[in-house]
């Protein structure tokens, strides 16, 4: 049988989504291999999760790569060697350039803790709570040139209860993220998605 398709995961923080992807692969629920985990923060706990799972890591700290161009020159160079079928942004906190997006067109995924196009950007769960919506959720989308604007692959709702805090709401959102992200990655690497402008259909 062919080798599982290589994916690269970009992280900056805790890496619970990275862990969910690692676990899905190990459980045989996602046919892929993580070729590389890249962090822009040396302290990201996600790096430890990768090392624990014997996945190669690359850390490109902002202090050494102060401009986005320098950062991406190095990143694109290292990514080319892995020939990724998907580049998975999992809590990665740096915006990527249109050069990066066009190099890996329709192969970069992001996960956002709200029902886009509502509450894009930072602190989406708090934005939803402060606005007073009764339903929020999780969106997984293809990354385009904008911020949280690309074509949507999967989206599912999470209820907001009167006694929710940001913490309790995020707990519910994370549980859903950990189920949806491996599923979306599988759809992409298995080529079971048709991307027609903004609209993504499952094949
Ligand atoms: C997730 O909530 C994701 O939606 C957002 O960043 C968070 C990353 O969490 N983009 P983790 O590092 O995977 O635990």
């Amino acid at each position: 049988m062919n080798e599982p398709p290589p994916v690269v995961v970009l992280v900056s923080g805790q890496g619970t989504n990275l862990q969910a992807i690692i676990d899905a692969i190990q459980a045989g629920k996602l046919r892929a291999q993580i070729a590389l985990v890249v962090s822009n923060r040396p302290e990201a706990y996600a790096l430890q999760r990768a090392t624990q799972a014997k996945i190669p890591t690359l850390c490109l700290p902002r202090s050494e790569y102060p401009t986005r161009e320098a950062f991406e020159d190095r990143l694109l160079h290292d990514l080319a060697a892995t020939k990724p079928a998907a580049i998975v942004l999992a809590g990665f906190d740096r915006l990527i350039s249109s050069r990066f997006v066009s190099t890996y067109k329709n192969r970069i995924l992001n996960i956002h803790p709200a029902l886009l196009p509502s509450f894009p950007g930072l602190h989406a769960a708090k934005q939803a709570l402060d606005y007073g919506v009764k339903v929020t959720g999780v969106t997984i989308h293809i990354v385009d040139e904008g911020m949280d604007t690309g074509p949507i692959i999967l989206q599912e709702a999470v209820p907001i209860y009167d006694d929710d805090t940001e913490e309790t709401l995020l707990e519910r959102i994370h549980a859903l993220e950990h189920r949806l992200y491996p599923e979306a990655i599988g759809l992409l690497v298995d080529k079971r998605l048709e991307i027609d402008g903004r609209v993504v259909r499952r094949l």
Side-chain angles (χ1 to χ4, degrees):
M1 200 157 128
N2 295 340
E3 284 280 295
V7 303
V8 173
V9 185
L10 271 55
V11 296
S12 303
Q14 274 299 309
T16 64
N17 280 285
L18 169 66
Q19 190 65 54
I21 298 162
I22 293 171
D23 293 347
I25 292 172
Q26 284 177 355
K29 293 179 186 160
L30 169 61
R31 200 178 161 277
Q33 53 174 317
I34 303 178
L36 184 65
V37 169
V38 183
S39 174
N40 59 337
R41 294 181 184 272
E43 72 280 11
Y45 184 63
L47 283 172
Q48 290 186 42
R49 295 181 190 269
T51 305
Q52 184 83 23
K54 301 192 167 48
I55 297 166
T57 59
L58 172 68
C59 185
L60 306 176
R62 201 178 270 262
S63 52
E64 286 172 43
Y65 299 90
T67 66
R68 190 161 66 183
E69 198 183 5
F71 175 81
E72 288 190 358
D73 280 347
R74 175 65 201 273
L75 184 57
L76 286 167
H77 176 267
D78 281 58
L79 286 189
T82 71
K83 297 192 175 26
I87 296 169
V88 176
L89 310 187
F92 182 64
D93 66 8
R94 204 163 185 179
L95 281 177
I96 61 176
S97 71
S98 51
R99 168 174 66 137
F100 194 116
V101 170
S102 58
T103 305
Y104 290 103
K105 191 166 169 51
N106 292 343
R107 273 188 285 165
I108 310 172
L109 298 183
N110 185 42
I111 189 162
H112 185 76
L115 293 176
L116 291 170
S118 291
F119 312 122
L122 291 176
H123 310 298
K126 183 166 189 313
Q127 289 187 55
L129 276 174
D130 290 350
Y131 197 94
V133 293
K134 303 301 182 196
V135 175
T136 186
V138 171
T139 304
I140 296 165
H141 64 92
I142 303 273
V143 174
D144 67 5
E145 278 76 10
M147 189 182 63
D148 300 328
T149 53
I152 292 167
I153 299 176
L154 290 177
Q155 200 163 41
E156 237 177 80
V158 168
I160 295 182
Y161 302 123
D162 288 351
D163 59 354
D164 261 331
T165 60
E166 189 181 1
E167 197 185 0
T168 58
L169 176 57
L170 272 175
E171 212 171 291
R172 222 172 296 126
I173 287 174
H174 277 141
L176 179 58
E177 289 187 337
H178 299 162
R179 175 165 63 77
L180 287 188
Y181 220 177
E183 184 185 344
I185 295 164
L187 290 170
L188 182 72
V189 300
D190 291 346
K191 300 189 170 38
R192 283 186 284 143
L193 296 176
E194 179 190 64
I195 301 161
D196 177 11
R198 278 217 56 83
V199 177
V200 180
R201 295 184 197 87
R202 289 167 76 143
L203 299 172

